Amino acid sequence: MCTGTLKDAHSCSHALYSPRLQVQVAMSKFRQAYVKKTSPLFDGESIFKQLHHSSFGRFQSAVQSVNSLWPDVDLTFELPTVIVIGGRSAGKSSLLENITKCSVFPRHRDVCTKRPIKLQLKQVSSPEAASVQVWYKDTCVSLESTDDILGHVEGIMKDLNTITNDEIVIKICQTDVSTIELVDLPGIQMYPPELYQQTTDLVNSYVNAPDTLVLCVVDATIPSLDSSVAIKAVRDANKLPRTMLALTKADLIQDEESIVEQIFERVLGNSAETKDLAGLAGCVAVVNRVSQDHVTLIEAESAEQAVFSKLFSDPAEAYAPPEVQRQLRSNTTTSQLIAQLDSLFHQHIVESWTPSALALIQRKLSKMQRSITRLGPAPESLDPTTVLKVLVSQVQQDGMWADLAATQIKISITTDQGAKFCNLSHLDTVAAANQHAWGSYSWAATSNAMRIAVLHAIDVALSSTAYLERISCGFMEAALTPHDIKPQRFKTLKTLVHDQVLAKMLEQAFANCKPVLVQMVHDTFNYCHETRQAADMFQVLDSCMRGCILQHIQACLGEVTKPECMPEGFKLEEDAATSELRSGVLSKIGKLQEASNTIRLIAGSAVTTDAKAAEPYDASATIEQHVHTERGDSSADFCFTWPDDDVDITTVRATKRRRKLKRPSNDQEACKHIEMS
């Protein structure tokens, strides 16, 4: 309120109503009402989330699975660097912000991009390894939070007066990001000439670098794409197949004819200027967030969807064929641009990564298969009887029989001073008979005692474990003989052979041969009493008893390989070391095969958006209406296809704007309507 003289009051009143002051007051009120909104990092649909759920994410998961198997193997692949080029104020930084959902790129008019800004994202294995750093030249600044990045970068930019190739590197290491690099380049400035030369040289150096993808940003409002220096740089570098064209500021085009020519025809690839860009990876129209952050990136995304939804609600587009509508929608909005960028990454993965990854996996698989072969067939794939047959066939029987002969009953006759004496030995125990003259009473008593001793020796010999131990030893030696089955690894086979098969076999053999041995002894002694040819007969008895025992053992050995001799429920089990080794190798084979299958599926699949899947649309084609009337239905389905006349989408759109179309109620009205159009 003004106080004082009338003159002062008049001056105050004049000041209150001056236009300049009114503008200042309005701006002050706006600033008071304006609230800057911040967007959390990576919040919303971004290229990183798209990569995580697409071919890249599946490929990385397969690679990490392979790397985890061998500490000395580091199978790493790096995505091509995405470089963003375009004219000054074309919306490069804003678009990159939308794609990444990272508010780290200066976008205000007074802080233009004077240095290449490289955003480096790196996935780390643990939260402890997370970090945020900003590098410029040789200086590194570690920041507490990602919220501090933009202010720090803007501070560097404000102190710069010229454009050089010194990069500002923003390095963010987190567990939930994809390892990727994106570079926001200074905009190409047309004047003065020296600045034009600096910016174009800088752009060309990045565009011509190997292993890069180009995001070429062009203002959609420019009358001709041929005037874009950024597009010329891409064409000169032969990078069109690795370049996505982004038409920004699509919301600024309001004229109906301009919308069709500068947005629809361009994204459909039907304009003369886009036809000259043969091989271009794609063209997408977008709407960026304005430089004032009065909406979040999520809100800006919704606003962009609303802009294009309004464009597509026009009757002319509503009557367009479904495939054309799909193609238009697949080439508009930032989300579709992200999807098409992902398809470029997919193509790079298929062409550059999968051959070397599959070759390495195949080498590892071959090595693991050889390891499995060296271990022998899996126990569950073998019949225990077959393994036992292999074992029996490999027993060195000649050597085993020779050793067995040394452990059997041996009877020998010695002569001392013309008198004949008989000695009986079993194993290491020697029993010597008293020496008596042949045919005397003493000799007869000794002979009977010897008969009893021999029979006892037989009982002792057949109940001894010496035979079992020696035969088991022969079997275990046989198990060490090289064979594809590798019998020595089966711990249960050792128990089976020693405690069950051989023990049972020897028990049967001894039961069969004992009556024969006893009869041999009686026959020998009886014959000796009659003929007095004791020495010869005892030598025969010695050989016969040994032969009898070996014969019955050998006969029973032939029976042990019969299935009925195998204990019920017996299973082959490997020893702990072999089992653990097999499990480890099989686990590696399983992971390698899974990784190989994943990568082969990636190589065999095609990441297509609706825009890629749709047939190319020729806007110079004309409208042919088809009226389909079904019997019993008074209404007709009225639709358009686009084959043969000279009516283009521009004309149709203008016509529909001038006269609101009503759906024809019958065939006649439909025909009249087409004639009028």
Side-chain angles (χ1 to χ4, degrees), residues 630-634:
E630 297 181 1
R631 291 186 178 181
D633 186 4
S634 59

Side-chain angles (χ1 to χ4, degrees), residues 358-374:
L358 288 175
L360 174 66
I361 291 174
Q362 189 56 48
R363 289 196 298 271
K364 292 295 183 182
L365 272 174
S366 298
K367 183 178 180 180
M368 293 297 98
Q369 292 291 357
R370 290 194 296 270
S371 298
I372 285 292
T373 302
R374 286 194 294 269

